[in-house]
Amino acid sequence: MNPYQTFQQHLLAELDAIRSAGLYKQERILVSPQSVHLRLNSGQEVLNFCANNYLGLSDRPELIEAARQAMTGRGYGMSSVRFICGTQDLHKDLEAAIARFFGTEDTILYAACFDANGGVFEPLLDERDAIISDALNHASIIDGVRLCKAVRYRYANADMDDLEKQLQVAQAQRFRLIVTDGVFSMDGNVAPLNRIYALAQQYNAMVMVDESHSAGVVGQTGRGVTEQFDLRGKIEILTGTLGKAFGGAIGGFTTGKKEIIDLLRQRSRPYLFSNSLPPAVVGAGIYTFQYLEKSSELTNRLHENTAYFVERMKQAGFDIKPTQSAICAVMLYDAKLSQEMAAQLLEEGIYVTGFFYPVVPKDQARIRVQLSAAHEKAQLDRCIEAFIKVGKTLKIIQ
Ligand SMILES: *Cc1c(COP(=O)(O)O)cnc(C)c1O
């Protein structure tokens, strides 16, 4: 036996276990751009209701043109990290544009928000400090916290009594940082940032919000949860992604207090030891933030679409989780039913995903619908009608 053979047996057994638990993830193959209309490699044409393409920017011609121009003017790849020879004027322009958008002091770019979250805690805090984290925070926050020596506290999702208890215990540490997602991706609820901020003041803590699912979406003009709760400029650290509302390509950022960003540039490992974002991505990012500075039309349309969809689905009798974002969880509770419903909806030309344990709690299976500014009324209606048809067939509604 060669060294790989026993390991291979082990992997095959693991994969079998995943398959027999019904948890093996199959990837559908698209042969069209990311958009409302998708073509699958099976030839099927479907309407897309499961992308993070909240503002419909993923295939916007102006954005593609901005990427093309940046690539023509500044080349394809950077072949360097930022601090050696990987910083162009474009990178500084994008960092400034992001800070203007969020009303913060400075911004640092990363290859992804996963890296922003992975590299934010360890340079700032050590074993004398405390991180108090929402139980439903994104995997990248959990991993980032693991890389840091700070004492860890966890509070139940958006549970302010529990947060207060943890803050009381955490008085034993030197500095305290409360960390929360802005919008929680499985329910679509917004973190109660006004109450988190009040507790932070009371218990002498700082706050970090991951705006990945909230930026472009939440708040009157889409500036995120700090706009929603009138806390612009007050939160020490925000992280976010360019991979959702802002064009959907790749890239992440941390934005906030000047000294924090400054220290991250010196010590944050995914920034120091990973390649600089390519000019095309940066150029398209600049276009996006300049456009959103001038107009909140896309966010307005997203808000209208979400309100319309949720209202019509409730009228049809579906059990919809209360949402304050562009995520609409249609509750089915039963895991198998969620898969059956998603499959039947696909046959009707509606592409959505059913989620079940362990992605969501046991017996909390659901279909997650994600709305976009790019959806037209007629497309929303087609989706709702398909839900009603399949819902009746499967006896979910009457
Ligand atoms: C999607 C997401 C991320 C990861 O963003 P990438 O830029 O794709 O790495 C991080 N945090 C939250 C809350 C997210 O939803």
Side-chain angles (χ1 to χ4, degrees), residues 6-83:
T6 48
F7 188 58
Q8 184 183 38
Q9 292 310 314
H10 161 73
L11 294 183
L12 290 170
E14 286 282 302
L15 287 164
D16 270 349
I18 295 172
R19 267 192 209 92
S20 51
L23 299 175
Y24 192 86
K25 294 176 195 67
Q26 291 285 358
E27 299 174 1
R28 284 210 176 80
I29 296 171
L30 316 181
V31 293
S32 63
Q34 182 61 274
S35 185
V36 170
H37 281 282
L38 292 180
R39 196 156 3 94
L40 308 181
N41 68 343
S42 62
Q44 199 187 0
E45 309 254 350
V46 294
L47 288 180
N48 188 2
F49 283 88
C50 57
N52 302 313
N53 186 16
Y54 293 125
L55 299 179
L57 291 172
S58 303
D59 65 340
R60 189 183 178 91
E62 295 92 327
L63 197 112
I64 295 167
E65 185 49 35
R68 202 194 308 276
Q69 280 182 20
M71 184 153 67
T72 303
R74 295 284 188 280
Y76 172 67
M78 289 307 303
S79 309
S80 175
V81 297
R82 287 286 298 274
F83 81 97

Side-chain angles (χ1 to χ4, degrees), residues 205-347:
M206 298 174 288
V207 179
M208 167 176 152
V209 181
D210 181 338
E211 293 266 27
S212 289
H213 275 289
S214 42
V217 175
V218 170
Q220 184 79 38
T221 67
R223 281 352 185 231
V225 285
T226 62
E227 179 183 28
Q228 168 120 337
F229 293 104
D230 211 9
L231 288 167
R232 273 170 73 78
K234 299 239 172 77
I235 301 302
E236 285 80 9
I237 303 172
L238 303 177
T239 59
T241 180
L242 303 178
K244 291 189 171 107
F246 302 130
I250 193 123
F253 55 85
T254 300
T255 189
K257 298 292 181 199
K258 190 170 151 299
E259 302 73 22
I260 292 176
I261 304 305
D262 215 5
L263 190 64
L264 292 176
R265 280 193 211 283
Q266 302 308 310
R267 295 216 182 125
S268 181
R269 292 163 69 85
Y271 183 80
L272 294 173
F273 298 104
S274 189
N275 208 26
S276 190
L277 278 179
V281 165
V282 180
I286 294 169
Y287 163 82
T288 298
F289 285 97
Q290 280 175 351
Y291 173 77
L292 295 176
E293 225 170 317
K294 288 190 299 244
S295 167
S296 41
E297 184 196 331
L298 294 178
T299 299
N300 292 342
R301 204 175 311 153
L302 177 63
H303 289 167
E304 281 168 26
N305 282 352
T306 308
Y308 178 78
F309 184 83
V310 168
E311 190 49 41
R312 291 278 317 273
M313 288 289 282
K314 280 187 190 159
Q315 276 169 10
F318 286 103
D319 180 357
I320 306 292
K321 274 248 174 194
T323 177
Q324 296 113 20
S325 64
I327 289 165
C328 174
V330 182
M331 298 306 295
L332 300 168
Y333 303 98
D334 182 69
K336 231 171 123 198
L337 187 59
S338 72
Q339 298 311 291
E340 181 57 34
M341 182 147 197
Q344 291 199 18
L345 283 165
L346 193 69
E347 280 167 30

Side-chain angles (χ1 to χ4, degrees), residues 112-115 117 138 140 181 185 210 212-213 241-244 251-252:
C113 187
F114 209 106
D115 291 328
N117 287 333
H138 191 262
S140 56
D181 280 11
S185 66
D210 181 338
S212 289
H213 275 289
T241 180
L242 303 178
K244 291 189 171 107

